[in-house]
Amino acid sequence: MNSPSLLGGIEAGGTKFVCAIGKPPDQIYAVERFPTTSPDETLGRVIDFFRSQPQVPESIGIATFGPADLHLDSDTYGYITTTPKQGWSYTDLVGPIRQHLNMPVAFDTDVNGAAMGEYLWGAGHGCKNLLYLTVGTGFGGGALVNGHPIHGLVHPEMGHLLLPRADGDDFEGNCPFHGACLEGMASGAAIKARWGISAESLPADHVGWSYEAHYLAHALMNFILILSPQRIIMGGGVMEQRHLFPSIRSRVQSLLNGYVRADEILHGIDHYIVPPSLGSEAGVLGAMALAMTL
């Protein structure tokens, strides 16, 4: 599915922002990346980027770090809310973009945006029921049901599941809210806190990877039983360690123990639990995919 319209995308990350304009996925005319500093400075650079373009997009999508208020009837719709990112709590993203650029703005979480992008153009193409997980500094999850991102009371916070401990694991976890939840045990920050080195520096034969596969496989089992996705895409810095995928897949099969009688799990799991395929542009393409929904 290609977009005939000129669209804008804003990947609003806790570390960096990425802005783009074009006709996704193949005709991206301009991209700019810059660090996430103060809200005023960062949003000023976003507005300057779009004002500097020779053409005006039909709409803009924002895919943001969170938590975020996605309720259209809320007084704080379009805001980042109770984020631990210093200086960004209750920051309005949608309002200034609408005010200064005078165009429709779509707003969702970064993981829901990534799920939309992978569904339209990437590893989840054709899968209307899709799960996208990012295992990086934190842990996030976005899900599509019948091609639409899940929203509800707030939005899914899949990184905070409580899971059974791996045998021999006495790490207390590093989530400030829940200690030993999924994010507190298996995120990139948890790996660094537990072992004192980053995921990319942890040797492939280190016991830490067995713990990592344990927690991620247990989480995937729960997600499969609850959401029944047609495909699971796992991205983020930790999942760049590709040796994790075979271990996670085999553990998921063992945990399910034949209960879910689907060929994708029983015989085709290598094509069921997969890395993303949109590369470094996944986030901003996801934001542009959100703009297509307006």
Side-chain angles (χ1 to χ4, degrees), residues 71-89:
H71 293 286
L72 289 167
D73 58 353
S74 170
D75 290 341
T76 55
Y77 168 74
Y79 282 57
I80 294 170
T81 58
T82 54
T83 178
K85 175 72 174 175
Q86 188 173 5
W88 282 80
S89 290

Side-chain angles (χ1 to χ4, degrees), residues 185-246:
M185 299 299 279
S187 66
I191 291 172
K192 182 71 178 290
R194 183 201 289 266
W195 306 114
I197 57 176
S198 62
E200 59 264 28
S201 301
L202 199 67
D205 60 354
H206 194 283
V207 67
W209 293 117
S210 176
Y211 290 162
E212 190 74 10
H214 168 92
Y215 294 112
L216 294 176
H218 275 81
L220 263 58
M221 175 190 177
N222 287 322
F223 297 145
I224 290 166
L225 294 173
I226 294 167
L227 295 170
S228 199
Q230 294 168 292
R231 189 160 299 145
I232 297 173
I233 300 169
M234 301 185 74
V238 173
M239 297 310 303
E240 290 178 6
Q241 311 306 309
R242 291 293 194 253
H243 59 83
L244 256 180
F245 278 94

Side-chain angles (χ1 to χ4, degrees), residues 108-259:
D108 214 318
T109 63
D110 48 4
V111 281
N112 274 345
M116 285 291 294
E118 292 287 346
Y119 162 55
L120 291 175
W121 308 302
H125 184 67
C127 298
K128 289 187 175 182
N129 300 290
L130 175 70
L131 180 61
Y132 181 94
L133 304 172
T134 181
V135 192
T137 302
F139 187 105
L144 304 184
V145 174
N146 292 325
H148 299 284
I150 291 179
H151 297 160
L153 180 67
V154 283
H155 49 75
E157 287 284 5
M158 299 184 196
H160 296 274
L161 292 180
L162 297 176
L163 301 168
R165 281 186 172 272
D167 290 342
D169 185 7
D170 59 1
F171 179 58
E172 64 182 11
N174 79 328
C175 173
F177 294 95
H178 313 112
C181 65
L182 175 59
E183 181 170 290
M185 299 299 279
S187 66
I191 291 172
K192 182 71 178 290
R194 183 201 289 266
W195 306 114
I197 57 176
S198 62
E200 59 264 28
S201 301
L202 199 67
D205 60 354
H206 194 283
V207 67
W209 293 117
S210 176
Y211 290 162
E212 190 74 10
H214 168 92
Y215 294 112
L216 294 176
H218 275 81
L220 263 58
M221 175 190 177
N222 287 322
F223 297 145
I224 290 166
L225 294 173
I226 294 167
L227 295 170
S228 199
Q230 294 168 292
R231 189 160 299 145
I232 297 173
I233 300 169
M234 301 185 74
V238 173
M239 297 310 303
E240 290 178 6
Q241 311 306 309
R242 291 293 194 253
H243 59 83
L244 256 180
F245 278 94
S247 184
I248 292 169
R249 290 167 181 146
S250 64
R251 287 171 186 254
V252 167
Q253 287 178 317
S254 295
L255 289 167
L256 288 170
N257 198 28
Y259 182 73

